[in-house]
Amino acid sequence: MEHTENKTLSGNPMHFQTVEKEKEYNAAYDRSLTLWNVPITTSYVPTRFGSAHIISCGPEDGEPLVLLHAMGFSSTIWYPNIEQLAQKFKVYAVDYIGDLNKSIPATLPENRAHCAEWLDDVLHALKIEQCCLGGISYGGFLAINYAVHHAHRVKKMFLLSPAASFAPLYQTFIDHIIAMAALPTRENVQQFIQWLSKHSLNQVIIDQFYYAFKCGSLSLKVPPGEFSDDDFKKLAMPILLLLGDQEVISDADLAFSRANQVCSNLIAEIISGTGHLLNLENPEGVNEKINAFL
């Protein structure tokens, strides 16, 4: 694994109270990066909200593919999918600047327009005019949001368990994550992940999630929410939507039904035996469907 980074640790006081805690978290992040079995480059690009951390891989002349991660997990969550995606695409996995990861915010996005502006700044810095876009959970919400604001820049989009977006969050999910974040012991984090997913996940990734909440404080200002029918009418690009039949954060059947009603160019599937973290729970099945779609 090649690993270069052009920005030294300068402290992220919005998410980590001390540089020592940030270093402890970053060490856990770097352990997760060892799961990426492709050559990578890590870097920072400037945005109006601060410096966005990016993991890049794949052929330099490949079609650009931008990946957005689940809340609390960071871009390292894509490790089960990256070998396949990086064969053809130039992949940019971007750490959302309002979440616990390696991006360094100067100010935090405060609304959906800001979220779209942030990602547009990233694409501009990377000299990307148009790309394929993929997101899981909160990253799926961010992907839809960007496509709503800048549909002409998204060629195709795949969504894995997008948070809210098509159907409202269950109050039980909100209660679970608030309780976990308030007391992020190893036991509480492990129980939360086991509730969220229906399979045993890689412990290295779980440890990174634990250190995110142990060492940092989440200050996400833009909660995921439903998009309007008018929003979805703006999305003419092909969309792949994958949902787990044991989803716990919202009603997967309702999301599936509404997505088919409001999206004009959609492939939607419910994956049997999976919960919220589809790409970690059933990577082979998810990879097969993403590959066929892209």
Side-chain angles (χ1 to χ4, degrees):
M1 180 182 70
E2 298 172 0
H3 186 178
T4 61
E5 196 148 305
N6 61 8
K7 192 178 185 76
T8 58
L9 187 73
S10 60
N12 177 356
M14 289 191 184
H15 290 144
F16 301 98
Q17 291 182 347
T18 67
V19 172
E20 288 72 24
K21 287 185 176 181
E22 186 179 1
K23 287 180 177 178
E24 188 176 6
Y25 168 75
N26 285 353
Y29 187 112
D30 290 342
R31 288 192 292 273
S32 294
L33 265 187
T34 65
L35 301 174
W36 286 46
N37 53 355
V38 296
I40 66 167
T41 299
T42 61
S43 60
Y44 285 84
V45 300
T47 77
R48 73 195 75 182
F49 300 96
S51 299
H53 181 258
I54 298 173
I55 310 169
S56 307
C57 57
E60 290 300 321
D61 61 349
E63 184 178 358
L65 169 62
V66 175
L67 300 177
L68 300 169
H69 59 82
M71 185 182 71
F73 282 92
S74 86
S75 294
T76 63
I77 197 173
W78 294 105
Y79 84 88
N81 321 105
I82 201 63
E83 184 175 12
Q84 174 182 285
L85 293 174
Q87 289 179 11
K88 175 183 177 182
F89 291 91
K90 179 63 178 179
V91 181
Y92 302 94
V94 188
D95 281 347
Y96 175 56
I97 208 159
D99 196 2
L100 296 166
N101 50 57
K102 281 195 175 186
S103 286
I104 301 177
T107 184
L108 297 174
E110 294 188 351
N111 52 52
R112 294 185 183 187
H114 284 177
C115 292
E117 289 168 3
W118 165 77
L119 187 53
D120 209 45
D121 287 352
V122 171
L123 298 190
H124 178 75
L126 294 172
K127 297 180 171 58
I128 295 174
E129 292 297 324
Q130 190 182 49
C131 66
C132 296
L133 188 58
I136 180 169
S137 190
Y138 187 77
F141 164 78
L142 289 176
I144 295 171
N145 181 68
Y146 183 74
V148 167
H149 285 82
H150 300 284
H152 65 287
R153 302 196 69 176
V154 181
K155 182 179 179 181
K156 290 184 176 182
M157 180 166 60
F158 67 84
L159 307 167
L160 312 181
S161 309
S165 302
F166 295 101
L169 297 176
Y170 287 142
Q171 185 61 44
T172 51
F173 166 70
I174 297 170
D175 294 342
H176 270 79
I177 198 165
I178 290 174
M180 183 278 299
L183 190 62
T185 64
R186 282 192 179 275
E187 181 180 7
N188 287 348
V189 168
Q190 195 80 36
Q191 288 178 351
F192 175 75
I193 296 297
Q194 289 174 350
W195 175 78
L196 198 62
S197 62
K198 303 306 170 189
H199 298 257
S200 296
L201 306 185
N202 190 298
Q203 192 61 46
V204 175
I205 288 290
I206 297 175
D207 284 346
Q208 183 192 332
F209 188 83
Y210 160 70
Y211 278 106
F213 288 91
K214 172 181 179 282
C215 300
S217 56
L218 187 62
S219 53
L220 195 75
K221 291 193 172 184
V222 185
E226 293 175 89
F227 292 92
S228 69
D229 291 0
D230 287 341
D231 286 334
F232 286 116
K233 289 177 182 177
K234 300 174 184 177
L235 308 184
M237 75 287 294
I239 299 172
L240 172 67
L241 172 66
L242 301 180
L243 302 163
D245 70 336
Q246 299 180 46
E247 176 64 86
V248 294
I249 79 165
S250 59
D251 188 327
D253 290 330
L254 177 60
F256 178 85
S257 176
R258 181 161 184 250
N260 278 289
Q261 291 173 1
V262 297
C263 293
S264 60
N265 198 1
L266 176 80
I267 300 170
E269 292 190 46
I270 295 183
I271 310 299
S272 177
T274 56
H276 184 62
L277 300 173
L278 294 177
N279 74 314
L280 302 180
E281 298 179 54
N282 184 2
E284 294 83 6
V286 168
N287 285 343
E288 181 181 351
K289 293 182 185 304
I290 292 175
N291 185 57
F293 172 71
L294 293 176

